[in-house]
Amino acid sequence: MPKAITLQINYAFEWHDVATIEFAERLDSNFCRLDYETDHVFAHYDDFAETAVSVSLPNDTMPYRNNKNWFRFLDDIIPAGSSRKYWLRTLRLLDEDKLTRNFILLSQGTIAPIGNIRVKESVPAIIMNPIPVTFSVEDVCRLEVDFIEYAQANGAAAGGASGAGGAAPKLLLRCDPADRVWIDTFQDNPSNVDTRYLVKFPRGSASIDHDILRAEFHFYHELNALGFDTIPIDEMRLIESEVHHFGCQGSMLQQ
């Protein structure tokens, strides 16, 4: 029996089931099929922008097949870099073959990747009227990527913090006006105005790794002063710490 995942896209401020992807039962990389949901196609036929999974896969009633590899846009949403290492440990996949790893990462770890696409099966069940779980900025700086496990141990649905890729550790977090940090795993409340942050930590313990983050912070400010439109800098932060081996030096970039 083929293995399948459901793709969701966030548009008009809501998550929508838009397509399913089937893989061969043995996860052979020479079979992959994508079918858009019929109702979705009727509403957005031939659209290749915000309601399609890829500009090369516009909404259509005909299925898309890839007999050489899986669809390349999946590489953009599957956990990568430091996030991939976290999920491989968490899901105990270190001893599995590459194809099995990739399918399980896709179906269980693709909760909140950068962008507006996610895998439905990865998203934890929504708890009705949950007790908000918040943390301090100091908690984030002190624990670095271990903050995710710390947050989970304290009752937070923390998987959504791991959506950013890259070799250097990163977290996706939100911060309220009282400077309390929380994880927006479900991303389902467009009326919430708490600041979104991409939190970046040094790749290693060498001084150059810390200098790279300092330089990035100041470069954004210089570009803004020169009139270039990059990212908002009003709430961007560079947090320094004397305890370098904890990786507390970090950069919080406003999304």
Side-chain angles (χ1 to χ4, degrees):
M1 183 176 181
K3 299 178 182 293
I5 61 171
T6 306
L7 295 174
Q8 294 185 317
I9 293 182
N10 192 305
Y11 61 86
F13 304 108
E14 292 183 14
W15 288 101
H16 304 265
D17 293 356
V18 301
T20 58
I21 297 184
E22 290 188 0
F23 303 86
E25 181 178 2
R26 296 183 180 180
L27 297 177
D28 297 329
S29 59
N30 62 352
F31 174 80
C32 192
R33 168 176 167 155
L34 183 148
D35 291 88
Y36 279 107
E37 298 286 340
T38 303
D39 290 344
H40 178 74
V41 174
F42 287 162
H44 305 281
Y45 180 71
D46 208 31
D47 186 8
F48 58 87
E50 67 173 352
T51 65
V53 298
S54 170
V55 294
S56 62
L57 301 169
N59 295 318
D60 201 324
T61 55
M62 298 296 292
Y64 291 94
R65 292 180 174 85
N66 192 329
N67 294 322
K68 295 181 179 179
N69 211 318
W70 69 3
F71 298 102
R72 281 302 164 206
F73 77 89
L74 296 176
D75 291 328
D76 294 329
I77 64 174
I78 191 173
S82 177
S83 174
R84 182 182 179 90
K85 294 177 182 178
Y86 162 77
W87 280 108
L88 289 176
R89 294 194 311 269
T90 300
L91 299 176
R92 300 180 180 179
L93 299 176
L94 295 174
D95 296 327
E96 298 291 346
D97 62 84
K98 181 180 178 180
L99 292 174
T100 300
R101 283 183 182 185
N102 284 344
F103 179 78
I104 296 177
L105 285 175
L106 196 63
S107 60
Q108 298 185 35
T110 314
I111 300 172
I114 298 293
N116 69 331
I117 301 177
R118 70 183 184 186
V119 174
K120 182 178 183 178
E121 289 76 11
S122 290
V123 182
I126 296 178
I127 302 173
M128 300 305 295
N129 301 316
I131 299 174
V133 182
T134 61
F135 306 90
S136 68
V137 172
E138 289 72 24
D139 288 335
V140 178
C141 295
R142 176 172 55 87
L143 295 164
E144 200 174 299
V145 289
D146 291 336
F147 171 75
I148 297 178
E149 296 178 11
Y150 173 78
Q152 287 177 325
N154 283 273
S162 64
K170 302 177 184 70
L171 297 172
L172 295 174
L173 303 173
R174 300 191 72 168
C175 193
D176 67 19
D179 228 19
R180 299 296 297 176
V181 173
W182 59 285
I183 300 171
D184 189 8
T185 291
F186 303 105
Q187 303 180 58
D188 58 358
N189 183 6
S191 64
N192 189 293
V193 296
D194 289 351
T195 305
R196 300 176 185 271
Y197 279 103
L198 168 62
V199 185
K200 307 178 74 172
F201 298 95
R203 182 171 182 173
S205 58
S207 60
I208 185 63
D209 296 316
H210 299 267
D211 288 341
I212 288 172
L213 282 186
R214 294 190 186 100
E216 182 176 1
F217 175 83
H218 292 295
F219 281 160
Y220 275 120
H221 283 75
E222 289 301 319
L223 288 170
N224 181 74
L226 292 170
F228 289 95
D229 185 13
T230 56
I231 62 175
I233 63 170
D234 292 342
E235 297 183 73
M236 187 185 298
R237 313 186 199 184
L238 177 66
I239 300 175
E240 299 275 3
S241 171
E242 296 179 357
V243 193
H244 289 184
H245 63 277
F246 280 149
C248 297
Q249 268 177 313
S251 178
M252 294 180 71
L253 306 182
Q254 183 184 1
Q255 292 185 281

